[in-house]
Amino acid sequence: MHSRLLRDLEAVIDTTEDPILWARCMCRRASHFARQGQTDEAKDTIAAVRSRFADALAPEIATWLMLAEGILWFSLGQFAKFDDRIRRARGIAIASSYNAARAACASWLALSAFNDRRYEEMISLLREAFELASVHDHQARARASLVLADAFHLAGRFDLARPWYERTRQHATSEGDESTLSAMLHNVAAFRASNVKLADALGTYLTEEARRAALEATSAAAYDHAIGTKSFDQLLPHVVEQLFVAEGKYKEAFDQLARMDLTGLPARGHATHFADYALCAWKMGERELAEKLIPKALAALDLLVDSDDAAYTYCRLASLLTEAGQVDRAAELKSKAIKEAGRYREFQAKLEASLAELTAELLNC
């Protein structure tokens, strides 16, 4: 599908005589391709901008170019380079007082801070994005709204996340930005599935939440297929697998896990992956495989794992070890799981309070 956003950008690219507007639209075009998973097209578009201006980059053009390059690095999973490039873009925007690009840079840096668990910085950047973005800056406002919605969802407050997801949808729809809509659909499903898997591991199966998560994952996959995005091809299977485990569909989960490529999964997700794989292998009678996977799950807990993922991993392994007759070891892991779950609830409460302060400030933005 050739999106409305892309058609509108290309119409300007083909007709404008303003070099800054041309560059801005070209860079936005590159960003769109990158977020769709069309990295070759994104690289070619960026190269065309660099070729036209060579070293004679005006600050406004340099800002949009570095922003596009940062988004491309993000799509390639090179998150340190993504953060560095967009920080440079924002620095140029600040130095040149070019707020039109600074708002977009701040919104993407807020995503970087969110992913790296730097929540105070995330809140500061979101404040900057909303204060600087014009009401028609759908790019900056859609991204900032999505980060804020995801943060509320992570804090366990989907009711407070929902209005910000709706703002994301409105801004993305206003300019035909299907890539942002795709990201929103995926994020809602992923956060809901994460809530379901942790609750199930701790002993409570959230039937309605699981049903909604499954529907949302299916909708996200169908939407991606319709618009031709490849961005979440490696991430959506992890969402589906988590729901299979929570439902006790170990055969389906095992088959999914056996096909997965961990290269598309952030390191912090490896512990839960190996824990699920070990549990499913045990349930499927693959005892030797399960015994090999348990140490991998425990070792992966050192890879910057969050408290909720640590609690989940300990719970799943405790369940497996109980069935294996290793009662004392299982009790030890269960105790660790309860402590990590407590830390996670404390973190959620603190994050919610910080987000509530921010949204109170944003009432007029």
Side-chain angles (χ1 to χ4, degrees):
M1 177 188 290
H2 205 61
S3 74
R4 176 161 53 88
L5 172 61
L6 199 55
R7 289 198 301 271
D8 290 347
L9 289 171
E10 291 176 347
V12 176
I13 289 167
D14 291 341
T15 58
T16 186
E17 296 182 0
D18 181 338
I20 292 177
L21 179 59
W22 180 87
R24 178 178 180 173
C25 290
M26 284 287 283
C27 291
R28 187 77 196 279
R29 180 177 185 262
S31 300
H32 178 81
F33 281 138
R35 291 181 300 131
Q36 287 281 90
Q38 298 172 278
T39 55
D40 288 341
E41 291 87 343
K43 289 177 182 178
D44 289 345
T45 305
I46 288 171
V49 177
R50 285 206 170 274
S51 176
R52 174 169 174 175
F53 296 102
D55 296 328
L57 288 173
E60 297 88 346
I61 297 173
T63 301
W64 291 118
L65 186 59
M66 288 184 179
L67 176 62
E69 289 172 339
I71 294 170
L72 175 58
W73 283 123
F74 176 80
S75 72
L76 294 171
Q78 298 290 324
F79 302 120
K81 293 180 178 179
F82 154 63
D83 186 89
D84 176 73
R85 209 64 183 154
I86 296 185
R87 283 187 189 280
R88 291 173 183 270
R90 177 171 170 267
I92 295 173
I94 291 173
S96 60
S97 300
Y98 189 46
N99 288 341
R102 183 177 167 185
C105 291
S107 68
W108 277 95
L109 277 177
L111 173 62
S112 179
F114 175 75
N115 288 342
D116 285 344
R117 284 35 178 174
R118 294 179 274 111
Y119 298 109
E120 289 185 10
E121 182 183 354
M122 174 199 76
I123 287 171
S124 175
L125 288 162
L126 287 175
R127 183 182 295 110
E128 178 180 322
F130 282 114
E131 288 178 351
L132 294 178
S134 73
V135 293
H136 300 298
D137 189 349
H138 302 300
Q139 177 185 14
R141 286 184 172 269
R143 178 55 53 182
S145 296
L146 182 55
V147 174
L148 184 50
D150 289 343
F152 267 124
H153 209 161
L154 179 63
R157 294 299 305 270
F158 179 71
D159 58 324
L160 299 179
R162 196 168 190 169
W164 293 99
Y165 281 130
E166 177 58 21
R167 288 196 186 194
T168 303
R169 186 194 66 77
Q170 290 172 355
H171 283 296
T173 302
S174 292
E175 61 178 2
D177 182 1
E178 287 93 352
S179 295
T180 294
L181 290 173
S182 175
M184 182 189 75
L185 290 171
H186 173 269
N187 290 4
V188 172
F191 279 111
R192 203 185 292 278
S194 182
N195 292 336
V196 169
K197 75 172 188 179
L198 179 59
D200 178 68
L202 292 169
T204 303
Y205 182 64
L206 304 175
T207 304
E208 182 60 20
E209 280 287 284
R211 185 188 69 81
R212 289 182 179 180
L215 287 173
E216 287 160 354
T218 300
S219 297
Y223 188 76
D224 284 355
H225 178 73
I227 68 173
T229 188
K230 305 171 187 175
S231 303
F232 301 110
D233 285 356
Q234 295 182 347
L235 295 178
L236 276 172
H238 290 280
V239 175
V240 175
E241 169 268 313
Q242 291 166 2
L243 293 172
F244 280 151
V245 174
E247 292 178 274
K249 296 180 179 179
Y250 300 113
K251 172 65 166 61
E252 291 89 337
F254 180 83
D255 291 343
Q256 190 95 305
L257 286 157
R259 293 193 299 268
M260 283 183 184
D261 179 2
L262 288 187
T263 57
L265 183 68
R268 61 170 50 95
H270 289 190
T272 60
H273 170 86
F274 286 124
D276 280 350
Y277 204 176
L279 179 64
C280 293
W282 184 270
K283 294 288 188 180
M284 297 304 298
E286 300 283 350
R287 303 298 166 86
E288 289 186 9
L289 176 58
E291 290 171 359
K292 291 179 181 178
L293 290 167
I294 291 172
K296 289 187 177 183
L298 292 171
L301 286 169
D302 294 330
L303 301 175
L304 300 174
V305 174
D306 297 319
S307 295
D308 58 330
D309 287 336
Y312 178 81
T313 300
Y314 285 133
C315 274
R316 288 302 188 211
L317 295 181
S319 174
L320 190 162
L321 292 172
T322 298
E323 290 192 26
Q326 299 183 37
V327 180
D328 291 343
R329 194 178 177 202
E332 177 187 347
L333 294 185
K334 187 69 174 181
S335 177
K336 289 183 177 180
I338 293 171
K339 289 180 181 178
E340 292 291 349
R343 291 192 186 100
Y344 182 57
R345 302 308 177 204
E346 291 175 4
F347 153 74
Q348 286 185 305
K350 183 178 179 180
L351 178 60
E352 181 190 342
S354 297
L355 294 172
E357 287 183 18
L358 173 64
T359 51
E361 296 175 27
L362 296 179
L363 288 175
N364 296 321
C365 290

